[in-house]
Amino acid sequence: QNGWQPVLDAMERGRFFVSTGEILLPSFTVNGQRSGETARLTNGAAEIKLTVDWTFPLQYLEIVSGDGRQVYRERMNLDTTEAHGKKEFRFRVSLPGRTWVRVEVWDAAVNGAFTQMVWLR
């Protein structure tokens, strides 16, 4: 009925994730804000919530952020996961001076998925 317009609207607003297909990211928020939105930091910190649905055992998750001068990566080891899982992860992370944040997830077969940015202030 609307053709491609809903897809184009989601892409324009940054409300999508990229995946090789074996890892899905059905939800992602930073202090309650979704990709493409702006989250307010609390004392330079944020709560990241991410639902991950996967086929092969996961290897790691990276929280990637930047401040306009440098890109920062914080890696969490997930190599104790088993095949065919789904889980909501919650992380409290320090992001002082950062202007954006996104998340990447990678599995044992080198399949990956990543979110788009949540802007920070």
Side-chain angles (χ1 to χ4, degrees):
Q1 186 173 30
N2 293 332
W4 286 96
Q5 197 58 53
V7 174
L8 296 173
D9 291 345
M11 291 179 72
E12 182 179 337
R13 292 184 186 106
R15 293 191 178 150
F16 64 96
F17 66 91
V18 176
S19 174
T20 58
E22 300 296 339
I23 299 172
L24 302 178
L25 307 174
S27 68
F28 165 65
T29 61
V30 177
N31 285 352
Q33 301 302 304
R34 299 182 300 170
S35 293
E37 297 178 342
T38 301
R40 188 176 300 272
L41 294 176
T42 305
N43 297 321
E47 180 182 54
I48 294 177
K49 291 183 191 176
L50 175 75
T51 302
V52 183
D53 208 334
W54 66 89
T55 303
F56 300 108
L58 298 177
Q59 285 297 295
Y60 65 90
L61 176 147
E62 265 189 342
I63 297 171
V64 184
S65 62
D67 62 10
R69 293 178 299 281
Q70 185 175 343
V71 174
Y72 303 86
R73 293 179 174 272
E74 184 175 348
R75 185 178 286 205
M76 279 77 167
N77 188 2
L78 300 177
D79 66 0
T80 59
T81 59
E82 296 183 8
H84 302 286
K86 181 174 186 172
K87 182 177 179 180
E88 180 183 88
F89 295 93
R90 291 177 182 223
F91 302 99
R92 186 116 188 110
V93 294
S94 181
L95 300 167
R98 311 295 163 76
T99 57
W100 59 269
V101 63
R102 67 179 179 83
V103 174
E104 297 180 7
V105 181
W106 295 90
D107 72 15
V110 197
N111 296 299
F114 61 88
T115 67
Q116 298 303 303
M117 271 111 20
V118 170
W119 306 103
L120 303 172
R121 63 177 162 165

